[in-house]
Amino acid sequence: MEASGWPHVTRRPDGTLALEVGEGVTSSVVRALAAGEAPPPPFSVRALAPLPAVPGGERPITVDQTHRSVIVGETVVVKWFPRPVRGPNPAPGLLAHLAGFARTATPYACVFWEDALVALVTAYLPDARDGWEWCVDEAEAGRTGFAAEIGRLAAELHLTMATPSDTFPHPVRLSPPGAGAWPARAEQALRDALTLTDGEDGAWLAAHAADLRRELAPLTHAAPTPLIRIHGDLHVGQILRWRHGYAIVDFDGNPTVTDGEAFQPAARDLAQLGTSVDHAGQVAVRRRGADPAATAAWAARSRDELRDAYLAALTEAGHPELLDATLLRPFEIEQECRELIYAARHLPRWRYAPMGVLRSWFSRSSF
Ligand code: ADP
Ligand code: MG
């Protein structure tokens, strides 16, 4: 008999869920989905597109990842959520809305257990490497040609986000006059970063708190601006360079932002993407011995080219208003604070990246 079955979901004493996926289970689930079989309750499936024929064989993806992705038959990727969370998840709606966006891994299906999303099934992109590899290569080599390409890619994503679909018939809103929650959210991120960062880095931050706060000030008098569904965790690690170009993946939100309102200015994604290029530069300095000053200059050039190409693509499509450029710098600063918070709480060895970026920004502009 073929290995078969569905994963095992257990309720833990604290009420959260745990998912176990045995050997062979992923390919068995994919086979069942491809055959249109009804899943055993309480599993359910939201189909987004018909699955292709999938040969046998499965292997795990082994790069650093938050979840657990398994490739089946070199055709399909199943991303399992080992700690499924009950309640609404942005990914199914976003993936349904993005049906017309070719530059992602084609989404096939979402799998639920009761009301918890347990898996996303998408197309496998051959020869894919994420930006923590390819963008670090670019940093090391000092090449910026990629920046305009990913700038246009981000613009295409946002233009699709802003186009009505059956899933989101009204995809664009206008922010209310007055600043709403953004200044308080940014200020809180700055305070948390200051509190959680100790040692020499903490002292440097404290000495620059006024500079950082000044950069957040434009949020307080932001004019009404269009809001769309954004990617929400758009960094170079979510941009795959594969056999046929670049693709954006991983639409299941940012686990470190809990107060994230679904509708946001596009500038939030663009700010995060730009800072992640800087982080790739810091990785090149730390791990590959790239020159710090040359790398900071490379990152600044790349960020400029990325933003210019992004805006040019919005303008060509007749929607330059989707980018409120006054929000970019404050969101970049907030993002770096979030990186510091993430490092303090989850990944101490990451602190060098946001610290390196902040030092490079402030030593260029204020000394
Ligand atoms: P996580 O939420 O765990 O970060 P991602 O969706 O970002 O999951 O995927 C993790 C990694 O798996 C990516 O960085 C990439 O290397 C690889 N990957 C993801 N989707 C695909 C795909 N469709 N084809 C090939 N590789 C992929
Ligand atoms: Mg990811």
Side-chain angles (χ1 to χ4, degrees):
M1 230 179 74
E2 283 181 321
S4 65
W6 284 64
H8 200 64
V9 178
T10 47
R11 292 184 183 84
R12 298 193 298 179
D14 63 358
T16 61
L17 302 176
L19 173 89
E20 270 171 67
V21 185
E23 186 87 25
V25 167
T26 309
S27 35
S28 142
V29 166
V30 167
R31 238 184 349 261
L33 293 176
E37 284 169 22
F43 286 102
S44 64
V45 172
R46 176 167 172 184
L48 297 168
L51 270 121
V54 183
E58 64 176 56
R59 65 185 171 96
I61 284 180
T62 51
V63 302
D64 256 11
Q65 55 197 308
T66 315
H67 304 101
R68 231 189 110 232
S69 291
V70 180
I71 301 164
V72 179
E74 305 301 303
T75 309
V76 160
V77 177
V78 179
K79 171 151 87 174
W80 294 109
F81 295 83
R83 299 275 170 273
V85 178
R86 291 183 181 277
N89 180 294
L94 286 178
L95 293 177
H97 175 76
L98 290 175
F101 179 64
R103 299 181 69 188
T104 185
T106 305
Y108 294 125
C110 308
V111 181
F112 297 87
W113 186 88
E114 294 187 349
D115 60 345
L117 179 68
V118 293
L120 294 172
V121 185
T122 62
Y124 172 62
L125 304 177
D127 305 330
R129 297 168 75 227
D130 71 42
W132 299 123
E133 292 179 19
W134 66 256
C135 197
V136 178
D137 292 347
E138 301 306 309
E140 194 181 9
R143 287 185 300 250
T144 61
F146 75 95
E149 286 195 64
I150 67 171
R152 277 193 298 274
L153 177 59
E156 276 175 42
L157 172 70
H158 287 161
L159 287 162
T160 310
M161 289 291 198
T163 303
S165 69
D166 289 347
T167 315
F168 300 148
H170 305 290
V172 186
R173 297 178 182 171
L174 203 60
S175 64
W182 305 336
R185 169 181 149 151
E187 171 62 27
Q188 190 60 50
L190 174 56
R191 277 197 208 147
D192 290 348
L194 285 163
T195 311
L196 292 169
T197 309
D198 57 9
E200 213 180 293
D201 289 338
W204 187 93
L205 275 182
H208 289 78
D211 295 332
L212 294 164
R213 201 159 270 133
R214 193 164 40 244
E215 301 260 36
L216 298 179
L219 292 180
T220 316
H221 19 83
T225 189
L227 306 180
I228 56 173
R229 301 295 298 259
I230 59 169
H231 180 286
D233 192 20
L234 190 59
H235 55 74
V236 293
Q238 317 282 35
I239 300 192
L240 307 186
R241 184 187 266 176
W242 68 295
R243 195 175 288 171
H244 298 300
Y246 291 97
I248 301 180
V249 299
D250 200 354
F251 288 88
D252 46 83
N254 183 342
T256 66
V257 179
T258 44
D259 55 348
E261 203 1 77
F263 281 80
Q264 292 282 346
R268 237 191 238 289
D269 270 353
L270 188 62
Q272 187 181 7
L273 183 57
T275 58
S276 77
V277 170
D278 267 277
H279 298 146
Q282 293 299 319
V283 175
V285 170
R286 166 142 311 200
R287 301 233 194 108
R288 305 201 190 165
D291 176 68
T295 305
W298 165 88
R301 258 193 340 270
S302 299
R303 230 171 337 106
D304 286 351
E305 290 172 21
L306 195 166
R307 189 199 50 224
D308 291 351
Y310 174 88
L311 188 55
L314 290 189
T315 305
E316 268 164 44
H319 288 291
E321 78 287 353
L322 284 179
L323 177 64
D324 180 343
T326 63
L327 302 175
L328 261 185
R329 189 60 173 174
F331 286 164
E332 285 173 356
I333 299 290
E334 179 182 343
Q335 182 60 37
E336 292 313 276
C337 293
R338 288 189 182 286
E339 301 285 340
L340 287 170
I341 297 166
Y342 178 76
R345 294 198 175 134
H346 305 286
L347 193 65
R349 68 185 152 83
W350 180 241
R351 183 157 104 185
Y352 77 88
M355 282 309 305
V357 172
L358 287 172
R359 285 178 204 271
S360 78
W361 287 355
F362 286 91
S363 51
R364 263 209 317 283
S365 58
S366 47
F367 297 108

